[in-house]
Amino acid sequence: MTSEAEQTRAVSVVVDAAPEGVQKYTARVACEDGEIEAVEPGALEAFFEIAEGGEGSRFVRARAVDMRGEARHIDEPTPLFEVRFTEPVELPSIRLTFETIIDHAGEKIPNESLRFDAIE
């Protein structure tokens, strides 16, 4: 792999499949060597907020709640939110942590169903 292929300007935080959907989440994306330019909601966009960090920071803590049933059933990979950096960053320097991610049945969505994808 070339070093260019190991860098990205943006990532999408994705839930692969959740038969009972996503009822709420709180997630943190941190980057050791780059600042965040923007954070955009995906699923659950009506009740999405940046709780900490974000633009101009090296991390963002984002959360959302599904008050309208927007994400009641998820059958395919679905972006929860996107993070864009001010410049290309090394993929290994990006960390994704979920503090909470609960489906509509009140169960925790397993870590193996969660990831981030380089999108640029």
Side-chain angles (χ1 to χ4, degrees):
M1 211 182 243
T2 67
S3 62
E4 191 173 295
E6 296 172 353
Q7 293 186 341
T8 186
R9 289 243 10 226
V11 294
S12 178
V13 176
V14 175
V15 60
D16 277 331
E20 296 298 325
V22 176
Q23 197 272 325
K24 65 180 176 179
Y25 69 83
T26 301
R28 178 183 167 102
V29 174
C31 183
E32 297 168 11
D33 52 313
E35 285 188 0
I36 293 172
E37 180 176 84
V39 180
E40 299 294 328
L44 310 181
E45 95 179 83
F47 294 96
F48 173 86
E49 71 174 352
I50 296 171
E52 291 181 78
E55 187 177 327
S57 181
R58 293 188 182 274
F59 79 96
V60 63
R61 185 169 168 253
R63 60 186 173 200
V65 177
D66 188 3
M67 302 289 279
R68 298 181 180 169
E70 296 171 90
R72 181 153 289 286
H73 302 286
I74 295 177
D75 300 326
E76 58 189 40
T78 302
L80 297 175
F81 64 98
E82 294 180 4
V83 178
R84 180 170 308 286
F85 301 99
T86 56
E87 58 190 46
V89 297
E90 299 288 326
L91 283 174
S93 75
I94 303 169
R95 298 281 178 259
L96 169 62
T97 308
F98 276 88
E99 295 174 21
T100 306
I101 184 157
I102 305 293
D103 66 19
H104 282 274
E107 299 294 321
K108 182 183 182 304
I109 295 173
N111 288 339
E112 53 272 7
S113 294
L114 306 166
R115 69 176 193 277
F116 71 83
D117 292 338
I119 55 173
E120 217 176 89

